[in-house]
Coordinates of all heavy atoms in Angstrom, one line a residue:
T1 N -3.7 5.0 -14.6 CA -4.0 4.1 -13.5 C -2.7 3.4 -13.1 O -2.4 3.3 -11.9 CB -5.0 3.1 -13.9 OG1 -6.2 3.8 -14.3 CG2 -5.4 2.1 -12.8
A2 N -2.0 2.9 -14.1 CA -0.7 2.1 -13.8 C 0.3 3.0 -13.1 O 0.9 2.6 -12.1 CB -0.1 1.6 -15.1
K3 N 0.5 4.2 -13.6 CA 1.5 5.1 -13.0 C 1.1 5.5 -11.6 O 2.0 5.5 -10.7 CB 1.6 6.4 -13.9 CG 2.5 7.4 -13.4 CD 2.6 8.6 -14.4 CE 3.3 9.8 -13.8 NZ 4.7 9.5 -13.3
A4 N -0.1 5.8 -11.3 CA -0.5 6.2 -10.0 C -0.4 5.0 -9.0 O 0.1 5.2 -7.9 CB -2.0 6.7 -10.0
V5 N -0.9 3.8 -9.3 CA -0.9 2.7 -8.4 C 0.5 2.2 -8.1 O 0.9 1.9 -7.0 CB -1.8 1.6 -8.8 CG1 -1.8 0.4 -7.9 CG2 -3.2 2.1 -9.0
L6 N 1.3 2.1 -9.2 CA 2.7 1.6 -9.0 C 3.5 2.7 -8.2 O 4.4 2.3 -7.4 CB 3.4 1.4 -10.3 CG 2.8 0.1 -11.1 CD1 3.5 0.0 -12.4 CD2 3.1 -1.2 -10.2
G7 N 3.2 4.0 -8.4 CA 3.9 5.0 -7.6 C 3.5 4.9 -6.2 O 4.4 5.1 -5.3
W8 N 2.3 4.6 -5.9 CA 1.8 4.4 -4.5 C 2.6 3.2 -3.8 O 3.1 3.3 -2.7 CB 0.3 4.1 -4.4 CG -0.2 3.7 -3.1 CD1 -0.3 4.5 -2.0 CD2 -0.6 2.4 -2.7 NE1 -0.8 3.8 -0.9 CE2 -1.0 2.5 -1.3 CE3 -0.7 1.2 -3.3 CZ2 -1.5 1.4 -0.6 CZ3 -1.1 0.1 -2.6 CH2 -1.5 0.2 -1.3
H9 N 2.8 2.1 -4.5 CA 3.5 1.0 -4.0 C 5.0 1.4 -3.6 O 5.5 1.0 -2.6 CB 3.5 -0.2 -5.0 CG 2.3 -1.0 -5.0 ND1 1.9 -1.7 -3.9 CD2 1.3 -1.2 -5.9 CE1 0.7 -2.3 -4.1 NE2 0.4 -2.0 -5.4
R10 N 5.6 2.2 -4.5 CA 7.0 2.6 -4.2 C 7.1 3.4 -3.0 O 8.2 3.4 -2.3 CB 7.5 3.4 -5.5 CG 7.8 2.5 -6.7 CD 8.7 3.2 -7.6 NE 8.2 4.6 -8.0 CZ 7.4 4.8 -9.0 NH1 6.9 3.8 -9.7 NH2 7.0 6.0 -9.2
T11 N 6.1 4.2 -2.6 CA 6.2 5.2 -1.5 C 5.5 4.7 -0.3 O 5.5 5.5 0.7 CB 5.8 6.6 -2.0 OG1 4.4 6.5 -2.4 CG2 6.6 7.1 -3.1
H12 N 4.8 3.6 -0.3 CA 4.0 3.2 0.8 C 4.3 1.7 1.2 O 3.4 0.9 1.3 CB 2.5 3.4 0.6 CG 2.1 4.8 0.5 ND1 2.4 5.7 -0.5 CD2 1.5 5.6 1.5 CE1 2.0 6.9 -0.3 NE2 1.4 6.9 0.9
R13 N 5.5 1.4 1.3 CA 5.9 0.0 1.6 C 5.8 -0.4 3.0 O 5.8 -1.6 3.3 CB 7.4 -0.3 1.1 CG 7.5 -0.1 -0.4 CD 8.9 -0.5 -0.8 NE 9.1 -0.4 -2.3 CZ 8.6 -1.3 -3.2 NH1 8.0 -2.4 -2.7 NH2 8.8 -1.1 -4.5
F14 N 5.6 0.5 3.9 CA 5.6 0.2 5.3 C 4.3 0.6 5.9 O 3.7 1.6 5.6 CB 6.8 0.9 6.0 CG 8.1 0.4 5.6 CD1 8.8 1.0 4.5 CD2 8.7 -0.7 6.2 CE1 10.0 0.5 4.1 CE2 10.0 -1.2 5.8 CZ 10.6 -0.6 4.7
C15 N 3.9 -0.2 6.9 CA 2.6 0.0 7.5 C 2.6 1.3 8.3 O 3.5 1.5 9.1 CB 2.3 -1.2 8.5 SG 0.8 -1.1 9.4
S16 N 1.6 2.1 8.1 CA 1.5 3.4 8.9 C 1.0 3.2 10.3 O 1.0 4.2 11.0 CB 0.6 4.3 8.1 OG -0.7 3.8 8.0
V17 N 0.5 2.0 10.6 CA 0.1 1.7 12.0 C 1.2 1.2 12.9 O 1.4 1.8 14.0 CB -1.1 0.7 12.0 CG1 -1.5 0.3 13.4 CG2 -2.2 1.1 11.1
C18 N 2.0 0.2 12.4 CA 3.0 -0.3 13.3 C 4.4 -0.2 12.7 O 5.4 -0.5 13.4 CB 2.7 -1.8 13.6 SG 3.0 -2.9 12.1
G19 N 4.6 0.2 11.5 CA 5.9 0.4 10.9 C 6.5 -0.7 10.2 O 7.6 -0.6 9.6
Q20 N 5.9 -1.9 10.2 CA 6.5 -3.1 9.6 C 6.2 -3.0 8.1 O 5.3 -2.4 7.6 CB 5.8 -4.4 10.2 CG 6.1 -4.6 11.6 CD 7.6 -4.8 11.9 OE1 8.3 -5.6 11.3 NE2 8.1 -4.0 12.8
Q21 N 7.1 -3.7 7.3 CA 6.9 -3.7 5.9 C 5.6 -4.5 5.5 O 5.4 -5.6 6.0 CB 8.1 -4.4 5.2 CG 8.0 -4.3 3.7 CD 9.3 -4.5 3.0 OE1 10.4 -4.4 3.6 NE2 9.3 -4.7 1.7
S22 N 4.8 -3.9 4.7 CA 3.6 -4.6 4.2 C 3.8 -5.4 3.0 O 4.9 -5.3 2.3 CB 2.5 -3.5 4.0 OG 2.9 -2.6 3.0
V23 N 2.8 -6.2 2.6 CA 2.9 -7.0 1.4 C 1.7 -6.7 0.5 O 0.7 -6.2 0.9 CB 2.9 -8.5 1.8 CG1 4.1 -8.9 2.6 CG2 1.6 -8.9 2.5
V24 N 1.9 -6.9 -0.8 CA 0.9 -6.7 -1.8 C -0.2 -7.7 -1.8 O 0.0 -8.9 -1.6 CB 1.6 -6.7 -3.2 CG1 0.5 -6.4 -4.3 CG2 2.7 -5.6 -3.3
A25 N -1.4 -7.2 -1.9 CA -2.6 -8.1 -1.9 C -3.6 -7.5 -3.0 O -3.4 -6.5 -3.6 CB -3.2 -8.1 -0.6
Q26 N -4.6 -8.3 -3.2 CA -5.7 -7.9 -4.1 C -5.2 -7.4 -5.5 O -5.6 -6.4 -6.0 CB -6.6 -6.8 -3.5 CG -7.4 -7.3 -2.3 CD -8.5 -8.2 -2.8 OE1 -9.2 -7.9 -3.7 NE2 -8.7 -9.3 -2.1
A27 N -4.3 -8.2 -6.1 CA -3.7 -8.0 -7.4 C -3.1 -6.6 -7.5 O -3.2 -6.0 -8.6 CB -4.8 -8.2 -8.5
G28 N -2.5 -6.1 -6.4 CA -1.9 -4.8 -6.5 C -2.7 -3.7 -6.0 O -2.2 -2.5 -5.9
W29 N -3.9 -3.9 -5.6 CA -4.8 -2.8 -5.2 C -5.0 -2.7 -3.7 O -5.8 -2.0 -3.2 CB -6.2 -3.0 -5.8 CG -6.2 -2.8 -7.3 CD1 -5.9 -3.7 -8.3 CD2 -6.4 -1.5 -8.0 NE1 -6.0 -3.0 -9.5 CE2 -6.2 -1.7 -9.3 CE3 -6.7 -0.2 -7.5 CZ2 -6.4 -0.7 -10.3 CZ3 -6.8 0.8 -8.4 CH2 -6.6 0.6 -9.8
Q30 N -4.1 -3.3 -3.0 CA -4.1 -3.3 -1.5 C -2.7 -3.7 -1.0 O -2.0 -4.4 -1.7 CB -5.2 -4.2 -1.0 CG -5.4 -4.1 0.5 CD -6.5 -5.0 0.9 OE1 -6.4 -5.8 1.9 NE2 -7.6 -5.1 0.2
R31 N -2.3 -3.2 0.2 CA -1.2 -3.7 0.9 C -1.7 -4.1 2.3 O -2.5 -3.4 2.9 CB -0.1 -2.7 1.0 CG 0.5 -2.3 -0.3 CD 1.8 -1.4 -0.2 NE 2.9 -2.1 0.3 CZ 3.9 -2.7 -0.5 NH1 3.8 -2.6 -1.8 NH2 4.9 -3.3 0.1
V32 N -1.2 -5.2 2.8 CA -1.6 -5.7 4.1 C -0.4 -5.9 4.9 O 0.7 -6.4 4.5 CB -2.3 -7.1 3.9 CG1 -2.7 -7.7 5.3 CG2 -3.6 -6.9 3.1
C33 N -0.5 -5.5 6.2 CA 0.6 -5.6 7.1 C 0.5 -7.0 7.8 O -0.4 -7.4 8.4 CB 0.5 -4.6 8.2 SG 1.8 -4.7 9.5
P34 N 1.6 -7.9 7.6 CA 1.6 -9.2 8.2 C 1.7 -9.2 9.7 O 1.5 -10.2 10.4 CB 2.8 -9.9 7.5 CG 3.7 -8.8 7.1 CD 2.8 -7.6 6.8
S35 N 2.2 -8.0 10.2 CA 2.4 -7.9 11.7 C 1.1 -7.6 12.4 O 0.7 -8.3 13.4 CB 3.4 -6.9 12.0 OG 3.7 -6.8 13.4
C36 N 0.4 -6.5 12.0 CA -0.8 -6.1 12.8 C -2.1 -6.3 12.0 O -3.2 -6.0 12.5 CB -0.7 -4.6 13.2 SG -0.8 -3.4 11.8
G37 N -2.0 -6.7 10.7 CA -3.2 -7.0 10.0 C -3.8 -5.8 9.3 O -4.9 -5.9 8.7
A38 N -3.2 -4.6 9.4 CA -3.8 -3.4 8.9 C -3.8 -3.5 7.3 O -2.9 -4.0 6.7 CB -3.1 -2.1 9.3
Q39 N -4.9 -3.0 6.7 CA -5.1 -2.9 5.3 C -4.9 -1.5 4.8 O -5.4 -0.5 5.4 CB -6.4 -3.4 4.9 CG -6.7 -4.9 5.3 CD -8.1 -5.3 5.0 OE1 -9.0 -4.5 4.8 NE2 -8.3 -6.6 4.8
H40 N -4.1 -1.4 3.7 CA -3.8 -0.1 3.1 C -4.2 -0.1 1.7 O -4.0 -1.1 1.0 CB -2.4 0.3 3.3 CG -1.9 0.2 4.7 ND1 -2.1 1.2 5.7 CD2 -1.2 -0.8 5.4 CE1 -1.6 0.8 6.8 NE2 -1.0 -0.4 6.7
F41 N -4.8 1.1 1.2 CA -5.3 1.2 -0.2 C -4.7 2.3 -0.9 O -4.3 3.3 -0.3 CB -6.8 1.3 -0.1 CG -7.5 0.2 0.6 CD1 -7.7 0.2 1.9 CD2 -8.0 -0.9 -0.2 CE1 -8.4 -0.8 2.6 CE2 -8.6 -1.9 0.5 CZ -8.8 -1.9 1.8
P42 N -4.6 2.2 -2.2 CA -4.0 3.3 -3.0 C -4.7 4.7 -2.7 O -5.9 4.7 -2.6 CB -4.2 2.9 -4.5 CG -4.3 1.4 -4.4 CD -5.0 1.1 -3.1
R43 N -3.9 5.7 -2.5 CA -4.4 7.0 -2.1 C -4.7 7.8 -3.4 O -4.0 7.7 -4.4 CB -3.5 7.7 -1.1 CG -2.1 8.1 -1.7 CD -1.3 8.8 -0.7 NE -1.9 10.1 -0.4 CZ -1.5 10.9 0.7 NH1 -0.6 10.5 1.5 NH2 -2.1 12.1 0.8
T44 N -5.7 8.7 -3.2 CA -6.0 9.7 -4.2 C -6.2 11.0 -3.5 O -7.0 11.1 -2.6 CB -7.2 9.4 -5.0 OG1 -7.0 8.2 -5.8 CG2 -7.6 10.5 -6.0
D45 N -5.4 12.0 -3.9 CA -5.5 13.3 -3.2 C -6.3 14.3 -4.0 O -6.0 14.6 -5.1 CB -4.0 13.9 -3.1 CG -3.1 13.0 -2.3 OD1 -3.5 12.5 -1.2 OD2 -2.0 12.8 -2.8
P46 N -7.5 14.7 -3.4 CA -8.4 15.6 -4.1 C -7.8 17.0 -4.2 O -7.3 17.6 -3.2 CB -9.6 15.6 -3.3 CG -9.2 15.2 -1.9 CD -8.0 14.4 -2.1

């Protein structure tokens, strides 16, 4: 769990909607864009 979520933070620092740098939220389980408000969650690839 730790390796996957921390790895996601390292590679998903910028908002995929507007390109601005996002910030950590929800104790590390979310990133939020302060510019457009988009919420981003750790990804799991099936």
Side-chain angles (χ1 to χ4, degrees):
T1 302
K3 177 175 167 60
V5 179
L6 290 175
W8 171 74
H9 280 295
R10 287 198 306 274
T11 57
H12 290 75
R13 296 188 178 278
F14 295 89
C15 177
S16 60
V17 177
C18 72
Q20 296 298 309
Q21 184 162 346
S22 58
V23 296
V24 177
Q26 291 289 314
W29 289 90
Q30 190 180 129
R31 295 187 73 94
V32 176
C33 178
S35 179
C36 71
Q39 299 176 338
H40 306 281
F41 301 88
R43 63 179 293 168
T44 296
D45 302 314

